[in-house]
Amino acid sequence: MSDDLSDRRQTFDALFASDPDPWGFESTAYEAAKRRATLAMLFPDRFERALEVGCANGVLTAELAGVCDAVLGIDVSPAALRLAAARVAHLKNVSLARAEVPREWPEGTFDLIVFSEILYFLSREEISQIARLAWRSLNDDGVCLLVNWTGPNDLPVDGQSARDIFAEELPWLSAASGVWPQYRIDRLHKTFPRKEAASGRLED
């Protein structure tokens, strides 16, 4: 696996090196409310192994550790991961790794995969590829959670489009969704084609 610095890695590394909390994860009421809504969308389930893609400085990672037996947080930025490592050092069920998706996707399977405010930093093609990777890595009864800012941005796609590209790439079941003035959260499950019974009827 190449460890060459991509443009994206350099951009986010510089961002977190200059400001340890560039989006106000720790300080803004908006971020605190969004985390509460994110956890509420997972309630009352508990998960064995979770993957958080784009863990940034680890604020949400620490919250996910409370509802998961094990959490793997990945991020493209070593600077962000250093901040996250300091934050979750006391949490024995959290591990962190540097990875740039989709080209560096973690091995193994998960029963929860979280994409919080990350998809619209990717191209349409990358979002489609990540949807396929998530589908393969998610246990059959697992949950894929998408959190997307829906306001205007200057990124490759907006939050609503990112959600649509991801959700429409495969036959995801939208098990729950919530829409707020500035963001939306979607809880997706896998769906499977119905099997034809010997009698000729279709069964779930």
Side-chain angles (χ1 to χ4, degrees):
M1 180 183 300
S2 172
D3 196 39
D4 294 338
L5 287 175
S6 70
D7 290 342
R8 188 176 290 144
R9 178 177 170 183
Q10 293 183 70
T11 296
F12 283 100
D13 223 24
L15 182 66
F16 280 98
S18 63
D19 182 350
D21 192 23
W23 288 286
F25 295 137
E26 301 176 78
S27 59
T28 67
Y30 163 78
E31 290 294 342
K34 189 179 65 179
R35 282 195 302 279
R36 289 194 297 271
T38 298
L39 293 173
M41 194 66 76
L42 297 175
F43 183 83
D45 296 334
R46 184 170 181 86
F47 302 90
E48 292 185 6
R49 187 170 188 242
L51 170 65
E52 183 190 7
V53 179
C55 66
N57 58 10
V59 177
L60 178 58
T61 318
E63 299 274 5
L64 292 173
V67 297
C68 302
D69 295 340
V71 179
L72 170 60
I74 63 172
D75 201 277
V76 68
S77 166
L81 289 170
R82 286 192 291 272
L83 296 166
R87 183 180 306 279
V88 303
H90 65 292
L91 298 172
K92 304 306 181 185
N93 62 333
V94 176
S95 57
L96 302 170
R98 198 210 62 78
E100 181 174 4
V101 298
R103 69 185 183 94
E104 297 171 326
W105 187 262
E107 297 181 355
T109 57
F110 306 89
D111 58 346
L112 172 64
I113 302 178
V114 177
F115 298 91
S116 181
E117 308 273 20
I118 186 70
L119 291 178
Y120 39 70
F121 288 104
L122 307 170
S123 69
R124 288 176 172 270
E125 294 75 16
E126 287 175 320
I127 295 171
S128 293
Q129 185 177 353
I130 280 176
R132 295 191 296 271
L133 290 166
W135 181 278
R136 289 205 303 264
S137 298
L138 192 67
N139 291 336
D140 287 349
D141 58 350
V143 173
C144 190
L145 200 71
L146 312 182
V147 184
N148 285 293
W149 157 264
T150 52
N153 66 37
D154 57 356
L155 297 167
V157 296
D158 61 32
Q160 182 64 51
S161 297
R163 178 266 174 206
D164 292 345
I165 295 166
F166 187 102
E168 294 169 8
E169 178 65 25
L170 289 153
W172 295 103
L173 168 67
S174 181
S177 63
V179 180
W180 289 263
Q182 296 175 302
Y183 63 94
R184 66 174 295 150
I185 302 176
D186 293 272
R187 176 173 171 146
L188 306 179
H189 295 191
K190 284 183 174 182
T191 58
F192 299 94
R194 295 189 297 172
K195 298 178 181 179
E196 187 170 356
S199 64
R201 293 184 299 106
L202 292 178
E203 297 183 346
D204 290 330

